[in-house]
Amino acid sequence: MALRTVAVLLQEPVALFEYGVLAEVFGIDRTEEGLPPFDYRVCSEEDRPLDARHGTTVTAAHRLDATYDADLVAVPASPAAQTPSPAVVAALRDAHERGAWVMSVCSGAFTLAAAGILDGRSCTTHWMHAAELAAMAPAASVDPDVLYVRDGNVITSAGTAAGIDAALHLVRTELGAAVAATISRRMVVPPHRDGGQRQFVERPVPTCEADSLGPLLQWMVQHLDESFTVDDLAARAAMSPRTFARRFVAETGTTPHQWVTDQRVLRARHLLEESDLSIEEVARDAGFGSAALLRHHFSRCTGITPTAFRAQHRVTA
């Protein structure tokens, strides 16, 4: 099926940025640049202006029947995404059953879940909502680490700007890399981003309020640039290594090695964002010792290299 007709299904209140992502990729006429035109339709169940918050309303020019022959039906985020109307659910199921592309941006995935479209599929949404989506759609496989997922003719994307990545992937799949590259240049975004949501998430490092390990954990954070073994930590905690290892997992939910690694990656992230230290200096300050070891653990935890992370997240004055 060639990608020619695109229907964006709005729900109230409308999330303007996520809607704007779809409008920017599919709604602008770029035929003068040699790109094929899209028949772009903004659809809503309501024949009235929709609240878009912040003193803004959006009026959709089409009703839901305009989705019935669309090659793509896309659902942007909305606080109402979890409770779509029966008519919205029917429109999405119709699109899916006749083989059209179905796509969501951010929390729009909840509307796809309510329609049963995510059952038996891999999918994603904003990392903050991933656990909630998994609970709502237990038959789906929710991946909170990626920017987008394509499973068959269903594409789900993570929060906000990840909708751009998903939309460009669809354009690249249907119309070729040259068309996707032209659109991305006009939008001043990369045609493809490496990494995933992990690079944006403050990894939840287990903490411990228990009297037995609380002071030790604080000491460990203050001495991340030093090397220490489980035996060293056990001696500092006045326990045998076996008892210490068992107590550590029980009280923090993870092993001493993983806890320290996560803390060192977190320190490295902050240094890469806020300092001018070289990668070697960041590695030493964070306790990894070498740039090679930093790259290994940093990439495994965040899905992106330290150099790429700094390029994307560096805090400038």
Side-chain angles (χ1 to χ4, degrees):
M1 176 184 294
L3 183 61
R4 292 290 182 267
T5 304
V6 176
V8 176
L9 204 166
L10 299 184
Q11 300 176 90
E12 188 178 43
V14 177
L16 283 176
F17 189 98
E18 287 78 0
Y19 161 62
V21 164
L22 298 167
E24 182 73 20
V25 174
F26 300 111
I28 295 178
D29 185 349
R30 296 189 172 96
T31 53
E32 291 185 357
E33 299 176 67
L35 300 189
F38 293 111
D39 177 359
Y40 182 72
R41 307 169 182 175
V42 182
C43 307
S44 168
E45 185 178 3
E46 304 292 343
D47 187 13
R48 59 173 175 79
L50 304 177
D51 176 34
R53 299 178 298 184
H54 315 299
T56 306
T57 60
V58 175
T59 301
H62 300 273
R63 304 286 71 77
L64 295 184
D65 58 355
T67 68
Y68 294 160
D69 63 346
D71 304 320
L72 164 66
V73 178
V75 184
S78 170
Q82 294 189 36
T83 55
S85 70
V88 167
V89 168
L92 286 170
R93 288 177 177 170
D94 171 79
H96 179 56
E97 290 169 1
R98 61 183 170 79
W101 288 98
V102 177
M103 174 182 166
S104 65
V105 180
C106 193
S107 66
F110 285 94
T111 300
L112 271 59
I117 293 174
L118 299 184
D119 290 351
R121 295 182 181 274
S122 297
C123 60
T124 193
T125 189
H126 192 293
W127 58 267
M128 291 182 64
H129 307 313
E132 191 175 3
L133 180 62
M136 179 178 177
S141 177
V142 181
D143 187 343
D145 291 334
V146 295
L147 295 175
Y148 62 88
V149 174
R150 174 195 171 183
D151 190 327
N153 64 332
V154 178
I155 299 179
T156 51
S157 68
T160 315
I164 299 173
D165 300 282
L168 290 175
H169 171 78
L170 178 53
V171 170
R172 188 164 51 246
T173 298
E174 284 289 311
L175 302 175
V179 174
T182 299
I183 295 175
S184 69
R185 281 196 299 271
R186 280 289 302 272
M187 296 177 66
V188 198
V189 297
H192 175 75
R193 282 195 294 169
D194 293 325
Q197 295 193 73
R198 285 179 292 172
Q199 62 187 285
F200 303 104
V201 182
E202 286 287 345
R203 285 175 60 85
V205 179
T207 57
C208 178
E209 303 299 331
D211 292 338
S212 57
L213 293 185
L216 176 65
L217 298 183
Q218 184 176 8
W219 180 88
M220 292 166 68
V221 170
Q222 294 170 348
H223 296 81
L224 290 175
D225 58 338
E226 302 177 16
S227 61
F228 37 79
T229 66
V230 170
D231 287 349
D232 297 331
L233 297 173
R236 179 171 287 274
M239 301 178 189
S240 70
R242 179 174 295 182
T243 298
F244 171 76
R246 184 172 60 250
R247 183 76 60 82
F248 198 98
V249 172
E251 295 188 8
T252 70
T254 189
T255 65
H257 178 267
Q258 189 59 55
W259 196 92
V260 171
T261 298
D262 286 344
Q263 288 282 14
R264 285 173 170 160
V265 167
L266 186 60
R267 175 179 285 186
R269 286 170 51 132
H270 292 163
L271 292 172
L272 291 167
E273 290 174 343
E274 301 170 5
S275 79
D276 295 321
L277 296 177
S278 68
I279 299 299
E280 284 285 354
E281 290 171 327
V282 169
R284 288 195 295 270
D285 192 281
F288 287 113
S290 70
L293 201 57
L294 168 64
R295 281 191 292 271
H296 170 75
H297 289 291
F298 197 92
S299 298
R300 184 179 59 82
C301 289
T302 68
I304 193 171
T305 66
T307 300
F309 180 89
R310 168 171 273 174
Q312 294 183 15
H313 298 270
R314 177 68 181 274
V315 176
T316 56

